[in-house]
Amino acid sequence: MPLFGTDGVRGLANGPLTADLALTLAQATAVVLGQGRTAEARRAQGRRLTAVVARDPRISGQFLAAAVSAGLASSGVDVLDADVLPTPALAFLVADRGADFGVMVSASHNPAADNGIKIFSRGGVKLPDIVEQRIEAAMSAPKLQPTGGDVGRISRFADAEDRYVIHLLASLDQRLDGLTVVLDCANGAASGVSPETFRDAGANVIVVGADPDGLNINDGVGSTHLDALARAVLEHGADVGIAHDGDADRCLAVDAEGRAIDGDQIMAILAASMKRRGLLAHDTLVATVMSNLGLHRAMAAHGIHVEQTAVGDRYVLERMKEGGFSLGGEQSGHVIMSAHATTGDGLLTGLNLVAEMARQRTSLAELARIMTVYPQVLVNVTDVDRARVKEDAGVADAVAAASAELGDTGRVLLRPSGTEALVRVMVEAADEHTARAHADALAGVVRERLAL
């Protein structure tokens, strides 16, 4: 199995993901990303490379981030330690400080026992597959071993959070005064910075899930558990609820009635707003194959083209860069606004969603009426050989039959997970009963044909 998945390296901390692996991965990263004209120019000037390192508040992040920093410094890279910050903050800071690369220690929405390592190249951009493959190969090759004064230094990035807050506020052309916002920070990396930023933007802020202890990240809170946020919105009579995940690269929302608003609906709202204001490049939205059929139909009604990519916000970003597009994202709440960010940013997304409410002086429920959400059933099939899902003829025949029966009233998607040992079966249809029946039947075929 490749070391890198859909979003970096991820696994059980101190299980597969050890301090030794983190150190070796950092050393290999220094070798691979230390190549190229910019790096050579720095060395010619007698300057060392620079990397920004940050983490979410998981307790394992302490030793893993320390191992990453040690691996980089031992390879002659100066480390700016930003401590606990969201993943999009790390990406922004790499670009803002002109660093050569950055490393984020986080397992995003996974449970506290897991952790992960995400690497960003110069400019704060996630790595393409080919570069990740080169880094993985370099883990078994000779490392850089400078001595004396050539080893790297590790220093505290003291104003990292302030720089990020200023950047977020600069993205807004509309204040949030008069709106009451409940923020669910998932007991994660945004627990400090998100409430501060929304208050600075003018909102009345109520906070839940903002007491991280290293073990409670994503535990019943955050974008994967919206019930606590919905209850808080109703209890306080708030206008809107915004939910982040553990590293705050996602944003989902809850309207004033406690109804969930997913990433597709958020993208539809932002796309229509940006088109109206002349900010939607080429009148195009980039979304993944998992986005709801309702998003495609809503965008067509507004004269907006939808480009599709594989699952993963880095694939969305790659297509955005190729086409010069300004908005893209995923149903899960990764939304990329390329004028302000190089990756999904849950704080940026939430701020701009609430700003649209203020701009139009209307409710989130009213804005969300832009699209009809088609029933979508997702079944995760475990204990199967996910590598064979695209090759098995029996599975292919079952998918073709279901697709033919649904016609243009639905669709079928099977894909191996990039982060977990399972196959995802997704079916959309005009009604939930039909979607469920097809999803369960296809899941049964996958279990039978691909059983380990």
Side-chain angles (χ1 to χ4, degrees), residues 39-345:
E40 292 301 327
R42 285 182 186 270
R43 292 193 187 94
Q45 297 166 3
R47 298 163 59 198
R48 290 180 296 275
L49 301 185
T50 302
V52 182
V53 175
R55 64 182 180 89
D56 72 26
R58 296 165 209 264
I59 52 173
S60 61
Q62 297 176 357
F63 76 77
L64 289 171
V68 166
S69 294
L72 295 177
S74 70
S75 301
V77 177
D78 285 346
V79 175
L80 293 171
D81 179 7
D83 201 31
V84 175
L85 274 182
T87 291
L90 179 281
F92 163 72
L93 292 166
V94 170
D96 188 55
R97 282 298 300 265
D100 296 281
F101 55 93
V103 182
M104 181 71 193
V105 178
S106 173
S108 190
H109 60 282
N110 282 30
D114 291 343
N115 219 319
I117 297 174
K118 306 178 188 183
I119 303 168
F120 292 80
S121 63
R122 187 171 180 82
V125 179
K126 288 185 177 179
L127 304 180
D129 292 341
I130 186 64
V131 177
E132 289 183 339
Q133 292 165 11
R134 289 169 55 200
I135 290 174
E136 186 168 349
M139 291 177 69
S140 56
K143 307 300 185 293
L144 302 173
Q145 292 183 301
T147 58
D150 292 331
V151 300
R153 280 68 162 165
I154 302 174
S155 58
R156 178 82 177 97
F157 197 158
D159 62 344
E161 183 172 307
D162 291 340
R163 286 172 179 256
Y164 180 52
V165 171
I166 292 169
H167 158 69
L168 290 171
L169 294 174
S171 77
L172 296 176
D173 61 5
Q174 172 70 52
R175 286 187 57 80
L176 313 183
D177 301 279
L179 290 172
T180 298
V181 181
V182 179
L183 295 176
D184 184 343
C185 300
N187 292 320
S191 294
V193 67
S194 187
E196 175 188 352
T197 308
F198 274 84
R199 289 189 181 107
D200 286 349
N204 174 36
V205 175
I206 298 159
V207 184
V208 298
D211 297 300
D213 62 9
L215 295 170
N216 61 359
I217 190 169
N218 302 315
D219 186 7
V221 290
S223 61
T224 53
H225 303 89
L226 293 177
D227 289 348
L229 178 61
R231 287 194 300 270
V233 167
L234 294 173
E235 177 186 347
H236 295 281
D239 297 293
V240 60
I242 298 294
H244 305 306
D245 62 337
D247 69 337
D249 61 357
R250 296 188 188 194
C251 169
L252 295 182
V254 168
D255 69 19
E257 301 302 318
R259 292 182 292 254
I261 306 296
D262 69 13
D264 285 341
Q265 294 166 288
I266 291 171
M267 286 192 292
I269 293 167
L270 294 179
S273 171
M274 290 173 65
K275 183 184 179 187
R276 187 172 61 252
R277 293 180 289 137
L279 301 175
L280 187 66
H282 308 295
D283 290 340
T284 295
L285 169 69
V286 182
T288 77
V289 294
M290 290 296 288
S291 280
N292 195 273
L293 181 61
L295 175 65
H296 293 262
R297 297 197 168 180
M299 293 297 91
H302 283 77
I304 296 171
H305 174 66
V306 178
E307 291 266 334
Q308 281 191 303
T309 75
V311 174
D313 66 341
R314 64 176 174 155
Y315 301 118
V316 173
L317 179 62
E318 286 174 6
R319 184 67 194 104
M320 290 174 68
K321 290 177 66 178
E322 290 169 358
F325 304 127
S326 53
L327 182 66
E330 300 184 279
Q331 186 184 71
S332 60
H334 289 112
V335 177
I336 303 167
M337 303 177 71
S338 63
H340 309 291
T342 59
T343 188
D345 189 329

